[in-house]
Amino acid sequence: MNNMDISKHLSIWPKLTKREQERLVEAATFDTVKAGEHIHDGNKECTGLILVASGQLRAYIISESGKEITLYRLLEGDICLFSASCIINNLKLDIMIKAEKDTSFWLIPTETYKSLMDQSVTISNYTNEILASRMSDIVYLMEQVMWHSFDQRLASFLVNESTLENSERLSITHEEIANHMGTAREVVTRMLKYFQSEGLVSLSRGSIEINDVSRLKALAE
Amino acid sequence: MNNMDISKHLSIWPKLTKREQERLVEAATFDTVKAGEHIHDGNKECTGLILVASGQLRAYIISESGKEITLYRLLEGDICLFSASCIINNLKLDIMIKAEKDTSFWLIPTETYKSLMDQSVTISNYTNEILASRMSDIVYLMEQVMWHSFDQRLASFLVNESTLENSERLSITHEEIANHMGTAREVVTRMLKYFQSEGLVSLSRGSIEINDVSRLKALAE
């Protein structure tokens, strides 16, 4: 695996000039993290742009008291701008990024990306599209949090996880679900037990089996 | 008042080329709305870019059942991209924009802005900054909604309104506050009555007098 592979994961690649492509290949470094490791810790650092090659990252915010909520996931081919928020004025977001699975990624140094963005309208407009896409995710999440009841949100979360994992058996703890959803473990446990009593899921230690995905989907909507 | 004034309100103006400036002046139209009028109604329309000359606009989302929450305000010199969300791929946001005060604004046609953005790295990066700034507002709001109790949020809202209006007497109904905060009128009324019993505010029909702004500020933090 070498940096040349960056071309396969960067959707904008064919639209770049030869020189821009070369600069990216020269500057980007390839790295891996294990599941559970942090790759970016809020506003303090300007880690660089992360381009996911494989695996899964989670972007989240954390409260003063340590509560978490997941803003969005980053999968193969996704780019995270917030790990390089210093490249854009006005972007003052304390977003944390953690690997949910073993993840490989390219890191594009901040200075390289900033200089490309300042010179290339293609890259600058691409950046607009990434920002717009994350913004849509976050407003969607806001709508969920504001207008949807917790049973709807939990049903929706389980359906999404099942799609993401391509499995009806989810290896996830109640604590982890609470951290994704911005709530307390007890709240998750109580609702999962209710779901179990309704025959929607079966609970066992460290995992959840989805028994009736179509009823969960109906509940989510 | 004519379109030439656009130069005074568009912060990026001095960085534009003569030709870009001319294109904006040629294309932009000046308009006014009365307080209470809608200026943009969600994703269906691509109204164009709104640049506020004077007054105050409110950007908000609305639930299927008609509940509202304010995402951010637009004041003099602010630009709203979401009224032209069709210019950016991936920006799928049903955001409504309504005048809170009599407002005058320039409307930059979508095609003009899109064409400028596609040609000018200055304008494209400016767009990035606007998006980033709105994103920061929305993530801040998300943090408020997720981690802060309603009394904190209401105290913070009253302090902000007081700053915005430059007055300790706010002409606002409980219903309007509920729409800003994404909650029900009854919830607002109950908390305001509690604030009154604590000597923080005095309530009268259609208005709220802030009696102790420093205690409200302390409560907000």
Side-chain angles (χ1 to χ4, degrees):
Chain A
M1 187 88 80
N2 66 50
N3 277 336
M4 289 307 287
D5 288 308
I6 199 171
S7 65
K8 296 203 189 73
H9 291 98
L10 196 61
S11 62
I12 203 186
W13 190 261
K15 292 189 193 161
L16 300 182
T17 65
K18 197 88 193 149
R19 182 72 198 105
E20 287 161 358
Q21 291 177 346
E22 283 166 3
R23 287 190 60 192
L24 280 174
V25 168
E26 280 159 22
T29 54
F30 191 78
D31 207 350
T32 56
V33 278
K34 294 271 170 214
E37 281 180 42
H38 268 97
I39 124 172
H40 177 70
D41 255 333
N43 220 347
K44 298 175 293 293
E45 324 172 304
C46 209
T47 309
L49 250 81
I50 295 164
L51 168 62
V52 179
S54 69
Q56 182 173 316
L57 301 176
R58 163 181 178 243
Y60 64 101
I61 51 175
I62 189 162
S63 77
E64 283 161 26
S65 64
K67 275 193 245 169
E68 300 180 1
I69 185 168
T70 300
L71 295 182
Y72 50 83
R73 256 70 174 267
L74 297 161
L75 305 173
E76 184 185 331
D78 283 338
I79 266 205
C80 189
L81 279 177
F82 300 109
S83 52
S85 60
C86 49
I87 59 169
I88 301 177
N89 293 339
N90 304 332
L91 195 59
K92 290 175 181 60
L93 293 179
D94 252 330
I95 287 181
M96 323 283 282
I97 300 167
K98 199 176 193 172
E100 290 190 289
K101 300 181 179 169
D102 292 353
T103 299
S104 64
F105 63 95
W106 284 276
L107 192 67
I108 304 170
T110 309
E111 313 76 52
T112 307
Y113 196 84
K114 173 124 186 78
S115 130
L116 285 167
M117 205 171 84
D118 284 345
Q119 288 160 28
S120 155
V121 79
T122 310
I123 293 176
S124 176
N125 278 317
Y126 174 63
T127 310
N128 273 318
E129 290 185 14
I130 300 170
L131 274 176
S133 171
R134 300 292 171 258
M135 174 100 82
S136 302
D137 289 346
I138 294 174
V139 172
Y140 176 78
L141 175 62
M142 173 78 93
E143 288 171 339
Q144 295 279 315
V145 165
M146 291 302 302
W147 321 129
H148 290 219
S149 58
F150 185 68
D151 59 340
Q152 287 180 305
R153 287 180 59 216
L154 183 57
S156 170
F157 177 83
L158 294 174
V159 170
N160 286 341
E161 284 302 299
S162 171
T163 309
L164 209 52
E165 298 295 326
N166 197 23
S167 165
E168 302 209 324
R169 191 171 179 286
L170 307 175
S171 297
I172 191 167
T173 66
H174 301 189
E175 179 79 34
E176 285 167 329
I177 296 177
N179 287 344
H180 280 298
M181 300 187 65
T183 187
R185 190 194 53 74
E186 296 74 14
V187 176
V188 173
T189 299
R190 198 181 313 134
M191 190 59 79
L192 282 173
K193 283 187 175 159
Y194 170 72
F195 282 5
Q196 180 167 251
S197 74
E198 291 285 312
L200 297 168
V201 300
S202 303
L203 306 177
S204 54
R205 196 166 189 84
S207 79
I208 298 164
E209 181 83 32
I210 295 178
N211 297 331
D212 194 336
V213 76
S214 54
R215 268 175 67 214
L216 270 185
K217 277 184 187 162
L219 179 55
E221 285 153 15
Chain B
M1 188 88 80
N2 66 50
N3 278 336
M4 290 306 287
D5 288 307
I6 198 171
S7 64
K8 296 202 189 73
H9 292 97
L10 196 61
S11 63
I12 203 185
W13 190 263
K15 292 190 192 159
L16 300 182
T17 65
K18 196 89 194 150
R19 181 74 198 102
E20 287 161 357
Q21 292 178 345
E22 284 166 2
R23 286 191 60 193
L24 280 174
V25 168
E26 280 160 22
T29 53
F30 191 78
D31 206 351
T32 56
V33 277
K34 293 271 170 215
E37 281 180 40
H38 268 96
I39 129 170
H40 176 70
D41 255 333
N43 221 348
K44 296 175 293 294
E45 325 171 306
C46 209
T47 310
L49 250 81
I50 295 163
L51 168 61
V52 180
S54 70
Q56 182 172 315
L57 301 176
R58 164 182 177 240
Y60 64 101
I61 51 175
I62 189 162
S63 77
E64 284 161 24
S65 64
K67 274 192 247 168
E68 301 181 1
I69 185 169
T70 300
L71 296 181
Y72 49 84
R73 256 68 175 268
L74 296 161
L75 305 173
E76 184 186 331
D78 284 338
I79 264 203
C80 189
L81 278 177
F82 299 109
S83 52
S85 60
C86 49
I87 60 168
I88 301 176
N89 295 338
N90 304 331
L91 195 58
K92 291 174 180 60
L93 293 179
D94 252 331
I95 288 182
M96 322 284 281
I97 300 167
K98 199 176 191 172
E100 290 190 287
K101 299 180 180 171
D102 292 353
T103 298
S104 64
F105 63 95
W106 284 275
L107 192 68
I108 304 169
T110 310
E111 312 76 53
T112 306
Y113 196 84
K114 173 124 186 75
S115 132
L116 285 167
M117 205 171 86
D118 284 345
Q119 287 160 29
S120 156
V121 80
T122 309
I123 292 177
S124 177
N125 278 317
Y126 174 63
T127 311
N128 272 317
E129 291 185 15
I130 300 171
L131 273 176
S133 170
R134 299 294 170 257
M135 175 100 81
S136 303
D137 289 345
I138 294 173
V139 172
Y140 175 79
L141 175 61
M142 172 79 93
E143 289 171 340
Q144 295 278 315
V145 166
M146 290 303 301
W147 321 130
H148 291 218
S149 58
F150 185 69
D151 59 339
Q152 287 180 306
R153 288 180 59 216
L154 183 57
S156 170
F157 176 83
L158 295 174
V159 170
N160 286 341
E161 285 300 301
S162 171
T163 309
L164 209 53
E165 298 295 326
N166 196 24
S167 165
E168 302 209 323
R169 191 170 180 286
L170 306 176
S171 297
I172 191 167
T173 66
H174 302 188
E175 179 79 35
E176 285 168 328
I177 296 178
N179 287 343
H180 280 298
M181 300 187 66
T183 189
R185 189 194 51 76
E186 297 73 15
V187 177
V188 173
T189 298
R190 199 182 313 134
M191 191 59 77
L192 282 173
K193 282 186 176 160
Y194 170 72
F195 282 4
Q196 180 167 250
S197 74
E198 291 286 311
L200 297 168
V201 300
S202 302
L203 307 177
S204 53
R205 195 165 189 85
S207 81
I208 299 165
E209 180 85 32
I210 295 178
N211 297 329
D212 195 336
V213 75
S214 54
R215 268 174 68 212
L216 269 184
K217 277 183 186 163
L219 178 56
E221 284 153 14

